[in-house]
Amino acid sequence: MLEVLKRPVVVTTNINLNIVALTGVGLLSRLWHLSYPRAVVFDEVYYGQYISFYMNRVFFLDDSGPPFGHMLLALGGYLGGFDGNFLWNRIGAEYTSNVPVWALRLLPALAGALSVPMAYQIVVELRFSHCTAMGAALLLLIENALVTQSRLMLLESPLIFFNLLAVLSYLKFFNCQKHRPFSLPWWFWLMLTGVACACAVGIKYMGIFTYLLVLGVAAVHAWHLIGDQTLSNVLVLYHLLARAVALLVTPVTLYLLFFYIHLTLLCRSGPHDQIMSSAFQASLEGGLARITQGQPLEVAFGSQVTLRNIFGKPLPCWLHSHQNTYPIIYENGRGSSHQQQVTCYPFKDVNNWWVVKDPGRHQLVVSNPPRPVRHGDVVQLVHGMTTRFLNTHDVAAPLSSHAQEVSCYVDYNISVPAQNLWRLDIVNRQSDRDTWKTILSAVRFVHLNTSAVLKLSGAHLPDWGFRQLEVVGEKLSRGHHESMAWNVEEHRYGTSQEQRDRELELHAPTQVDVSRNLSFMARFSELQWRMLTLRGEDAEHKYSSTPLEWVTLDTSIAYWLHPRTSAQIHLVGNIVIWASASLATATYVLLFLWYLLRRRRDVHDLPEDVWLHWVLAGTLCTGGWALNYLPFFLMEKTLFLYHYLPALAFQLLLLPLVLQHVYDHLCRSRVQRHLFSTLVVAWYSVACHVSNKLRPLTYGDSSLTPGELLALRWRDSWDILIRKS
């Protein structure tokens, strides 16, 4: 024991100076003057408001992606001491002194910087040379669009980082598989693959493309593993279970965790929660929760209620009526019943109140004790302000002529009788004796005479209907749809003090407490569905572009213009790198098909191990490009150049691989190799020169003359801004 203590403790480690150097220059390129400009730059106006919501714990809904990316940006604000008090109302607005600009932009910048050494490691793990790996890292380092995007409060840089981390982790796991399966590094890299995939998907839905890529490659490798006769059945099962836990269970669990943290942080009502259901709104502090606190839980005959349509499209709205009647003759010459209008109104209003009446009684008050309304009961709905009954009949609706008009019945002493009986259908009932519950019950109203279902059509009525939303009786009902479902949002048993006292005395134990009734999974499911189905206004943007324009770099985006000088920031790519990356992708595909065809004829141009590395590299790089690019041709949304950057990152990994392959296997003589090497060095030099020429537009820290700006407009479609003197 004493002998051991006499010896010095020695720790040896291998340090790859290439990685250290790449990390250093990556940090320098992304962090240099990071707080400049101290003004809102393009989509910072969009993400900044969500950071403020996080700081103030106010609920918001963003259909662009899950919340992990927003939480990363908010984390930067939290670490920088941001209090959330800034009005994100326009691009170019100067940040006030309380906004920690450097901290808010730090995490995207770090993600962009660390992507540089990560590219190096990916190429090394693919068994290509260190020189080739340095070339891939250099491309990510100097590509202007990647630099610009990573220096701002935006999400593409973290997305690319986790995409690359997922690929790198899987490659390290795959290489450990050959020598040390089930070792600690083997488990670490396998689990990190799942974590990185979850983070990529959690930042933007686009991350699922890289996740599918990794899953596909892992599935092929698992298939080969099953066929390995050197492994026992039990060992194969262990391998498959390990992959299932790491690549399926872990990402799903983390994805749910992101939403759990998101919903825990955002506990207060805000401007975005009206798109959510009444139950969801009531689970938030303030807002609807304050209004509905202490409401009776069970709807009874005589209850006064407001009815909100569950569909909430095109706008959240409540069943509404007013004194005005339908026009006798519509603009198209069709006649109406001239009854009182019934609409869906997207604002809280006194005319949204209705009384649930028992058809067999004349009273419009709650009895003592109250008689709860149950599934299947027949009710009448009496409009609170006009005391007229909700009615429908065989008259075509104003806009949806295939459906029936819904009105409040007016007796004109003509041969149009009242048809105001409705059967209550509780959609989410547990049994056929369920009672109608405030907020929690989704109900349909089925007309007793015609079997039409009360439905929100979503069409805006003309000016005579005050542009409110049309409500119809749907006769041709094909299954259940949310536009036919309603829920009670506000509820009271009466308005007199005597009725209030009786309500408080008899029914305090049955008041609504949605915060306890609504589980996390219910809130998650609703929020996820709203995010996936919510469609914003797809108005054409000045800087929007098509996927075909990205490849040829026909477009640019003006991010910021100095208020006094000509200094400006543009999202514009290095045209030499982009063109070369596309050429390399086409070259790889052609070479792959050529080799595959010759192998079919039993001609093996490449040794088997070289061929397998070539296929794996192409699958990850070309597949990553295709999966992150081609789906945009199918998307009906406003697209911008930055949507192409994740696909471009995979292309930049592929480009040096193709160059090394040409050098190693297509250059036959020493002269050809020397000539090719000279061309590659010259090409890299040109790419670096172009990157430096575009630097003023990347960092925006130089004021250029109009002539210098015109010289940078290499394409007529580039919107370089030139001030008029």
Side-chain angles (χ1 to χ4, degrees):
M1 182 67 180
L2 293 176
E3 291 295 327
V4 174
L5 294 176
K6 292 178 182 178
R7 297 172 184 172
V9 178
V10 178
V11 177
T12 60
T13 183
N14 294 322
I15 298 177
N16 190 327
L17 294 181
N18 288 346
I19 295 178
V20 174
L22 288 171
T23 304
V25 295
L27 290 171
L28 181 63
S29 67
R30 269 62 175 179
L31 297 181
W32 189 79
H33 281 192
L34 186 60
S35 58
Y36 177 87
R38 195 173 173 82
V40 179
V41 180
F42 201 62
D43 273 354
E44 286 187 340
V45 73
Y46 175 72
Y47 292 110
Q49 59 182 313
Y50 297 137
I51 296 174
S52 290
F53 284 141
Y54 272 117
M55 298 299 104
N56 296 307
R57 306 194 69 178
V58 172
F59 174 79
F60 69 86
L61 176 66
D62 178 22
D63 63 339
S64 69
F68 181 60
H70 301 82
M71 289 193 291
L72 282 179
L73 298 179
L75 176 62
Y78 175 78
L79 295 176
F82 183 41
D83 57 10
N85 294 321
F86 182 77
L87 187 61
W88 309 87
N89 58 351
R90 65 180 179 87
I91 297 171
E94 293 289 328
Y95 285 122
T96 53
S97 59
N98 68 309
V99 182
V101 182
W102 192 87
L104 288 169
R105 293 173 179 167
L106 176 61
L107 291 180
L110 288 177
L114 295 177
S115 296
V116 175
M118 200 176 301
Y120 173 90
Q121 292 178 284
I122 289 174
V123 175
V124 170
E125 291 297 325
L126 286 170
R127 298 294 187 260
F128 285 80
S129 70
H130 289 272
C131 181
T132 300
M134 287 292 289
L138 179 62
L139 291 176
L140 265 75
L141 175 69
I142 67 173
E143 210 301 300
N144 298 81
L146 294 179
V147 176
T148 300
Q149 201 72 7
S150 61
R151 287 174 46 80
L152 300 171
M153 195 196 313
L154 306 172
L155 292 182
E156 276 66 35
S157 181
L159 174 62
I160 292 171
F161 170 81
F162 285 110
N163 283 347
L164 297 182
L165 181 60
V167 172
L168 174 62
S169 301
Y170 183 79
L171 286 173
K172 284 187 172 290
F173 154 75
F174 178 68
N175 291 329
C176 285
Q177 169 71 28
K178 301 174 183 177
H179 309 292
R180 294 179 295 166
F182 296 105
S183 63
L184 188 60
W186 185 92
W187 276 109
F188 174 79
W189 292 116
L190 178 59
M191 294 300 295
L192 186 58
T193 303
V195 171
C197 288
C199 291
V201 178
I203 289 175
K204 282 197 170 186
Y205 288 124
M206 285 175 59
I208 200 169
F209 302 138
T210 301
Y211 181 36
L212 292 175
L213 173 70
V214 173
L215 277 183
V217 174
V220 172
H221 288 162
W223 181 253
H224 290 309
L225 195 71
I226 294 173
D228 189 348
Q229 296 299 317
T230 64
L231 302 177
S232 66
N233 292 340
V234 174
L235 197 55
V236 169
L237 181 61
Y238 285 162
H239 275 288
L240 296 179
L241 286 176
R243 286 159 173 77
V245 169
L247 301 181
L248 295 175
V249 177
T250 299
V252 171
T253 303
L254 282 176
Y255 189 77
L256 291 173
L257 180 62
F258 297 151
F259 277 90
Y260 182 82
I261 298 173
H262 176 73
L263 291 172
T264 301
L265 291 175
L266 305 184
C267 58
R268 297 172 182 164
S269 176
H272 291 192
D273 59 345
Q274 278 209 352
I275 194 67
M276 309 304 292
S277 69
S278 301
F280 193 103
Q281 291 182 55
S283 68
L284 301 170
E285 296 176 10
L288 184 61
R290 185 173 63 251
I291 297 173
T292 60
Q293 186 177 10
Q295 289 188 156
L297 177 61
E298 294 183 339
V299 179
F301 287 105
S303 285
Q304 300 172 16
V305 300
T306 63
L307 294 166
R308 185 180 192 266
N309 188 266
I310 288 179
F311 191 45
K313 292 183 179 180
L315 294 167
C317 62
W318 293 261
L319 190 66
H320 176 94
S321 187
H322 39 240
Q323 290 282 359
N324 299 69
T325 59
Y326 291 110
I328 299 177
I329 302 295
Y330 294 124
E331 292 82 349
N332 58 9
R334 196 161 46 84
S336 78
S337 66
H338 198 44
Q339 298 282 316
Q340 181 173 301
Q341 296 175 18
V342 171
T343 65
C344 209
Y345 190 50
F347 301 98
K348 294 183 183 298
D349 187 87
V350 68
N351 281 311
N352 297 347
W353 284 91
W354 300 81
V355 180
V356 181
K357 180 181 177 300
D358 182 351
R361 295 171 178 259
H362 291 292
Q363 292 87 351
L364 293 178
V365 295
V366 178
S367 61
N368 191 3
R371 291 174 48 233
V373 183
R374 300 183 182 275
H375 170 74
D377 284 353
V378 176
V379 300
Q380 292 173 308
L381 293 177
V382 183
H383 187 238
M385 294 299 292
T386 61
T387 67
R388 288 176 174 152
F389 290 76
L390 186 72
N391 182 85
T392 187
H393 37 222
D394 193 17
V395 175
L399 303 179
S400 306
S401 57
H402 66 280
Q404 292 182 175
E405 175 192 89
V406 174
S407 63
C408 279
Y409 183 73
V410 181
D411 185 5
Y412 288 118
N413 292 319
I414 56 176
S415 58
V416 180
Q419 297 182 6
N420 51 35
L421 300 178
W422 302 85
R423 187 182 75 250
L424 185 77
D425 179 12
I426 302 178
V427 177
N428 57 345
R429 63 186 181 277
Q430 301 296 318
S431 71
D432 287 344
R433 293 299 296 161
D434 269 10
T435 57
W436 185 6
K437 294 182 177 62
T438 305
I439 292 180
L440 301 176
S441 294
V443 302
R444 296 195 311 166
F445 296 98
V446 183
H447 192 236
L448 214 61
N449 297 82
T450 63
S451 298
V453 180
L454 188 69
K455 176 184 177 181
L456 169 67
S457 78
H460 286 272
L461 294 169
D463 290 340
W464 55 258
F466 308 102
R467 306 298 299 172
Q468 296 173 16
L469 300 175
E470 182 191 41
V471 174
V472 301
E474 181 62 72
K475 295 182 292 184
L476 304 176
S477 175
R478 298 180 180 177
H480 168 67
H481 190 268
E482 283 186 332
S483 60
M484 301 177 181
W486 307 78
N487 71 270
V488 171
E489 189 168 270
E490 296 181 60
H491 176 209
R492 60 193 182 209
Y493 277 171
T495 54
S496 70
Q497 187 61 45
E498 179 185 353
Q499 288 170 318
R500 289 175 181 169
D501 292 342
R502 186 177 67 211
E503 178 180 319
L504 189 63
E505 177 186 350
L506 296 178
H507 296 283
T510 60
Q511 293 171 356
V512 178
D513 188 0
V514 178
S515 61
R516 295 181 181 178
N517 284 282
L518 201 62
S519 66
F520 160 70
M521 286 306 298
R523 299 173 75 204
F524 163 76
S525 301
E526 180 180 345
L527 179 57
Q528 184 68 81
W529 177 248
R530 295 292 183 190
M531 290 169 63
L532 291 172
T533 57
L534 183 65
R535 289 288 178 268
E537 295 182 5
D538 285 334
E540 191 70 21
H541 193 279
K542 178 181 180 181
Y543 294 115
S544 63
S545 52
T546 65
L548 286 177
E549 292 174 318
W550 303 341
V551 178
T552 54
L553 205 54
D554 283 338
T555 182
S556 69
I557 304 177
Y559 269 10
W560 173 80
L561 176 65
H562 195 283
R564 292 174 298 277
T565 71
S566 63
Q568 51 195 279
I569 295 177
H570 283 257
L571 183 69
V572 60
N574 187 316
I575 195 166
V576 173
I577 295 178
W578 286 52
S580 303
S582 298
L583 180 61
T585 304
T587 302
Y588 177 87
V589 172
L590 292 175
L591 283 174
F592 175 80
L593 294 175
W594 172 251
Y595 289 145
L596 197 63
L597 182 63
R598 286 174 62 80
R599 287 173 69 87
R600 189 64 178 166
R601 298 294 298 170
D602 204 25
V603 178
H604 296 265
D605 298 288
L606 302 176
E608 192 61 24
D609 60 333
V610 174
W611 167 251
L612 292 177
H613 287 130
W614 178 246
V615 171
L616 179 59
T619 301
L620 290 173
C621 298
T622 307
W625 168 79
L627 285 174
N628 282 279
Y629 172 58
L630 298 180
F632 285 106
F633 286 95
L634 305 177
M635 295 184 184
E636 296 181 359
K637 59 178 291 186
T638 305
L639 300 174
F640 297 92
L641 179 63
Y642 55 72
H643 286 119
Y644 187 61
L645 297 183
L648 176 69
F650 282 99
Q651 275 193 316
L652 300 188
L653 294 178
L654 179 66
L655 176 52
L657 307 186
V658 173
L659 293 178
Q660 181 181 334
H661 183 82
V662 173
Y663 178 86
D664 290 343
H665 301 284
L666 299 184
C667 293
R668 302 297 184 183
S669 66
R670 180 177 298 181
V671 174
Q672 289 178 338
R673 291 183 177 181
H674 280 308
L675 178 60
F676 184 75
S677 299
T678 303
L679 291 175
V680 169
V681 171
W683 171 80
Y684 265 108
S685 301
V686 172
C688 290
H689 174 71
V690 171
S691 178
N692 187 59
K693 289 289 288 184
L694 294 174
R695 184 193 174 283
L697 300 180
T698 301
Y699 290 89
D701 56 353
S702 300
S703 180
L704 303 180
T705 65
E708 291 171 327
L709 289 171
L710 279 174
L712 291 177
R713 187 181 286 173
W714 295 346
R715 289 188 180 276
D716 293 337
S717 53
W718 288 8
D719 193 13
I720 308 295
L721 305 176
I722 301 175
R723 291 186 182 275
K724 294 181 179 180
S725 56

